[in-house]
Amino acid sequence: MQISVIDNMRQFKELLEVFSEVFEWEDNVVDDNYLTDSLNNKNFLVFIAKIDDKIVGGMTAHILPNYERCKSSIYIYDLAVRESFQKQGIGKSLINYLLEYGKNNNIYDIFVGTEQCDNEDAIAFYRKTPFDLEMKVLQYSYDIDK
């Protein structure tokens, strides 16, 4: 297995197919210009896991500049591994890759949120990673595009 930073639009689209399969997304098609702008954003990170040159998983994250300290935070937005490749350490390898990235890039902390209802697999996964703190947080969302 190889973990790497994504380096082209084809790989990004292949990763989005993995996300669509795992998260059961419906019609989450974004145009190429928007995807290109996302990939060109220096605060947007995309990592992929490949086996035999096929993308089997990946992760997107956002670097969040911080005003409390001279280091940024990273928020893991999506992390998924194709079902047939789960429970093989790929997700943990992605987390470890991001932790190493953080150590090498002046990052203070990395955090992720996961829904508590009907999401036992994700919760169990993150509990197996080397996190420092677990807390329950309420999240409030404001739907702007109604």
Side-chain angles (χ1 to χ4, degrees):
M1 176 193 40
Q2 174 190 5
I3 307 285
S4 63
V5 175
I6 205 163
D7 63 9
N8 62 54
M9 179 65 79
R10 182 192 57 75
Q11 289 179 330
F12 192 26
K13 285 185 170 184
E14 193 174 339
L15 176 59
L16 292 177
E17 289 175 18
V18 172
F19 287 168
S20 291
E21 174 188 312
V22 173
F23 300 136
E24 300 175 355
W25 287 346
E26 295 178 22
D27 294 331
N28 252 9
V29 179
V30 176
D31 69 51
D32 285 357
N33 291 330
Y34 189 86
L35 294 177
T36 298
D37 288 346
S38 294
L39 285 176
N40 290 331
N41 180 339
K42 66 181 176 92
N43 289 326
F44 181 62
L45 306 172
V46 184
F47 303 103
I48 52 173
K50 291 168 66 174
I51 294 178
D52 297 329
D53 216 34
K54 179 181 177 183
I55 295 174
V56 297
M59 171 175 47
T60 59
H62 298 274
I63 298 174
L64 305 172
N66 201 315
Y67 51 83
E68 294 178 66
R69 59 189 63 87
C70 294
K71 291 185 172 190
S72 296
S73 296
I74 292 179
Y75 173 69
I76 299 172
Y77 192 75
D78 279 322
L79 188 154
V81 175
R82 287 190 191 275
E83 189 172 346
S84 59
F85 291 90
Q86 291 177 5
K87 300 190 186 329
Q88 297 179 30
I90 296 169
K92 286 182 195 170
S93 293
L94 286 161
I95 293 286
N96 289 333
Y97 192 91
L98 185 61
L99 290 169
E100 195 61 34
Y101 175 93
K103 289 176 188 173
N104 295 324
N105 287 279
N106 199 37
I107 300 299
Y108 176 74
D109 64 348
I110 298 170
F111 64 101
V112 62
T114 188
E115 294 179 15
Q116 294 180 37
C117 280
D118 298 325
N119 210 12
E120 291 80 14
D121 290 342
I123 293 167
F125 165 75
Y126 285 114
R127 286 184 172 157
K128 292 178 188 174
T129 65
F131 67 91
D132 295 309
L133 174 67
E134 176 182 291
M135 70 177 83
K136 296 192 185 287
V137 176
L138 294 176
Q139 176 177 312
Y140 300 92
S141 296
Y142 302 90
D143 190 356
I144 304 299
D145 192 24
K146 291 183 185 181

